[in-house]
Structure formats: C-alpha cells, structure tokens
Amino acid sequence: IVAPSRTAKIIMATSILTHVLAGLFGMGSWVTICGLWVELPLIVPQVPEGWYLPSYISVIVQLANIGPLFVTLMHRFRPGMLNETVLVVDGSSHFYWLSYWILRYGHGCVESMSTAS
C-alpha cells in the first residue's frame, strides 16, 4: 500500500474545506429564507404586492437553484467550456438592482416594482 503524497493530502484538505464552506454558505442561505418566511406576516401589510409576495418568493427561490445546478453540470460534462467571467458580471448586476431598489423603494415610498414606470 502506497502512502498518499504531501500534495495529495493538501488537495484533499482543500477539497474538504471547500465542501465545508459551501455547506455553510447553503445553510446561511436557508436561514435567510426561513427568516424571511417568519417575517412575512409583518412585511405583507407594508408592501403593495400583499399576499402575492409569498408566491413570488417561492418562484424566485426555486429559480435560484437552477444557476448552481447549471454550473455543476457544465463543469462535469463540458469542462473548460463555461466562461466564469459572464457569471461574475451577471452576479454583480444583482448588486446594481439591489442598490436601485433601495434607492427607489427603500425610503418609505410605497410603490411596486411591477407598477413603476
């Protein structure tokens, strides 16, 4: 039996750390979503979407699962074909929309995104 080399041990330790960090990130995401569901009875009367908001959130959360699945499948079946630069630019665009929403709707203005002109 051949003992694993030092490099193999480092790679394995890095892989384990990566998986642990990914798991913690996922748990943080679920805590956030669960916290949002707990706060819904307080949020719903304040937003113009009303009780449609929970169904919107459900759809958005399920659509958010497609991205990581797509990246995983691309890395598995088409290695080297996925351009991560596009993903980074797309991901950073979400911060733009977040700042837009905060500027437009975050200061007590009761206006829906769907009715904004």
Side-chain angles (χ1 to χ4, degrees):
I1 298 175
V2 178
S5 67
R6 186 176 190 289
T7 306
K9 289 179 183 177
I10 291 172
I11 290 172
M12 192 157 100
T14 303
S15 178
I16 291 171
L17 177 64
T18 302
H19 284 85
V20 168
L21 290 175
L24 290 174
F25 177 76
M27 287 181 1
S29 298
W30 274 110
V31 167
T32 302
I33 295 298
C34 290
L36 182 62
W37 283 108
V38 168
E39 296 291 329
L40 270 177
L42 299 173
I43 296 171
V44 166
Q46 305 297 323
V47 295
E49 290 83 5
W51 283 105
Y52 289 116
L53 185 63
S55 59
Y56 294 157
I57 293 171
S58 295
V59 171
I60 289 169
V61 167
Q62 295 307 316
L63 287 174
N65 292 326
I66 293 173
L69 177 64
F70 174 74
V71 171
T72 301
L73 292 174
M74 286 295 288
H75 279 292
R76 172 67 176 98
F77 295 111
R78 301 275 187 198
M81 190 174 174
L82 186 64
N83 184 359
E84 278 85 6
T85 306
V86 174
L87 296 175
V88 170
V89 170
D90 179 53
S92 62
S93 70
H94 295 287
F95 289 108
Y96 164 76
W97 285 112
L98 175 65
S99 63
Y100 170 77
W101 189 88
I102 290 171
L103 288 174
R104 178 128 187 196
Y105 306 104
H107 299 291
C109 177
V110 183
E111 185 178 344
S112 174
M113 289 286 279
S114 60
T115 60
S117 55

